[in-house]
Each structure stands twice: as C-alpha cells, then as structure tokens.
Amino acid sequence: RLALDDGGSPERLKVVSVAIGQLISDAPMPPEIMCDIEAAFESLTMPIAVRSSAAGEDSAQHSFAGQLSSFLNLSTLDTARAAVRQCWASAYSARSLGYRLQHNLPLETPMKVAVVFQEMVACEKSGVLFTCDPVTQDPTRYIINAVHGLGEGLVSGELDADQYVLEKSTGKLIEQEIVRKESQVSLAEPSGIETRAVPVSQMETPVLNADELKLLARLGRRVEAFYQCPQDIEWGKRNGELLLLQSRPVTTPIADPA
C-alpha cells in the first residue's frame, strides 16, 4: 500500500504504478463501455487520436498536464481499445502518483479519467499559445511557441521551439527567438508517430509568419474572453487552416493588469 507518509521513493512509486496498471489491464471491460468504444471509433474518419481527460487535470490550483497518456494515429479498433486501458492506467503512473504526494492530494480518491476519441490532425506546424507570460506573470503579453509538424515534440520537451512575444492589446510582435529546428514529429506508417528531419531550407527560418501571428493573437483573445482567465492553448495548422486543439487555465499566479 502507498500512503502519503511513506516518502514516495521513485522505486516504490514505480512498483505501485506497475501493479495498478496490471490490474487495469486484466480487469474485464464492461459490455456497455465496449459498445461505447466501438460506437465512438466508427463515428470518426481514420486515423484517430485517443486522449486522456481527467476531472481536475488542469485547474487553476493543480496541473497534471503531460502526466496522462495520449495515443496518436490509431487506425484499428483493437489498438483503440488497448489505448483506452492505457489512458486509465496513466492516472496511476509513477509520475502522477509522485505529483499527488508532492501536493498532498489524497491517493485514496480515484482520479476519474475520461477518454476522448478525436480525429487525428496531421498538422504542418503546431504550438502553444499562452494568453499571458507565465514566467514573468505579465498579463499584457502573449507568448507563442511553434514547431514544424505535430505539437507532441513540443509539449513533451523533446524539441526546441521558436518563441514569439506579442503585445496583447495590439497583437504587435515585441520580440522573437528563432532556433535551429533539426527535427519534427510526424505521423508514422501505418500508425503512431515518428521523428523526422526538418527540410534544410526550414531549419533556421521562422515557423510562423506575420499573418499567422495575427491569427493566433485573435484566437487568444477569443478563448480568453470565453473562459474569463488566462489560457494555455494548444493549436495546429493544417492545409492553411488554424485549429484550436485544446485550452486549459494557466496554473501559475498572474498579476492583475495595471
């Protein structure tokens, strides 16, 4: 048994996590959930993404962002079924259990993890838009990070990204940092994702142009106005269309505008 007072050593967390994962893997799937999985799978055009979405995953107080699993570019019902179990099990990964211990969150309370089936979006470029500066706590700026390909490499920390700082009131570009981008994450064949080389001509050029920055500033204003608090937005661009993939509250304290 893992308790809040046992210290939560990495070795102990891993043992407990593996044991819980095995229980979830071996448990019989209720027939009604099997039917729901099949219906959701058949309602979408292949390939799909299977993503975790937990109650309280990203609140203003705590963030489990990046701790729950998602599975990209799936094309068969069997792989989708397996991904559902893996999403549930990820709520009890060693990293998630350690986070709960660190923040004194009760381990006895099960984390309720929903699983979302979505169309898989093969983005040419992707990134994150903060409708504030989460580092300096400045609410008057947008911070945009962008990479070629899928955003998975950015949110996992695997890839370096270009960064753009915009003035929130006008959308004006204040500063930018363009890095050398040698790799990108793309859809693999027949399923899953893979890391590929970025074309040499794109390695040192900005991922985003002025028009794309304006579109992102407009998106940031709309999303923040809807939720009435600073947002951490994941976006992508496919076939010339800017897509909102996910939005959650910024979890760091933000200063009130002067």
Side-chain angles (χ1 to χ4, degrees):
R1 173 177 169 83
L2 180 66
L4 284 171
D5 59 356
D6 76 350
S9 68
E11 295 79 13
R12 183 72 181 280
L13 291 173
K14 184 175 181 179
V15 168
V16 172
S17 172
V18 169
I20 294 173
Q22 192 62 52
L23 288 172
I24 292 173
S25 177
D26 293 343
M29 183 81 76
E32 59 272 21
I33 295 182
M34 292 284 283
C35 291
D36 288 343
I37 290 173
E38 186 171 350
F41 181 84
E42 292 180 349
S43 71
L44 296 171
T45 301
M46 296 301 108
I48 66 169
V50 178
R51 297 183 177 274
S52 305
S53 181
E57 175 186 357
D58 299 302
S59 66
Q61 290 77 38
H62 302 289
S63 177
F64 285 84
Q67 298 182 29
L68 301 179
S69 295
S70 293
F71 300 89
L72 306 181
N73 194 27
L74 305 181
S75 298
T76 70
L77 183 56
D78 284 343
T79 56
R81 287 196 189 106
V84 170
R85 289 183 184 271
Q86 291 173 285
C87 286
W88 289 338
S90 69
Y92 303 96
S93 67
R95 183 180 175 191
S96 294
L97 292 174
Y99 183 88
R100 292 167 78 170
L101 283 171
Q102 180 183 358
H103 292 273
N104 295 318
L105 300 174
L107 295 176
E108 297 79 7
T109 303
M111 181 181 287
K112 297 180 179 180
V113 178
V115 180
V116 181
F117 284 20
Q118 296 176 311
E119 175 190 351
M120 183 69 227
V121 180
C123 297
E124 296 99 26
K125 53 185 72 175
S126 309
V128 175
L129 161 62
F130 293 95
T131 65
C132 63
D133 188 328
V135 177
T136 66
Q137 303 179 7
D138 186 345
T140 67
R141 293 186 169 190
Y142 291 133
I143 307 296
I144 300 171
N145 299 109
V147 296
H148 295 294
L150 304 177
E152 196 70 12
L154 172 59
V155 299
S156 68
E158 177 185 348
L159 301 180
D160 292 329
D162 289 351
Q163 178 166 290
Y164 308 83
V165 181
L166 308 184
E167 186 176 60
K168 180 182 284 188
S169 60
T170 64
K172 178 183 177 182
L173 178 63
I174 300 173
E175 58 184 88
Q176 65 180 15
E177 180 182 1
I178 308 303
V179 300
R180 181 175 174 83
K181 300 165 287 291
E182 297 184 353
S183 302
Q184 67 181 61
V185 176
S186 303
L187 301 186
E189 293 291 345
S191 64
I193 56 177
E194 63 183 6
T195 301
R196 299 176 184 170
V198 171
V200 174
S201 61
Q202 298 178 5
M203 286 184 178
E204 297 187 359
T205 59
V207 174
L208 299 174
N209 59 39
D211 289 338
E212 290 168 329
L213 290 172
K214 289 178 182 177
L215 287 174
L216 283 165
R218 191 179 308 159
L219 175 65
R221 282 192 290 272
R222 293 177 62 189
V223 176
E224 186 176 78
F226 181 84
Y227 286 109
Q228 294 295 298
C229 66
Q231 294 292 300
D232 172 357
I233 299 166
E234 292 182 25
W235 58 269
K237 192 172 185 183
R238 179 186 64 180
N239 298 330
E241 182 181 12
L242 180 64
L243 302 171
L244 168 62
L245 304 178
Q246 174 177 285
S247 188
R248 54 185 171 232
V250 171
T251 55
T252 55
I254 302 301
D256 291 329

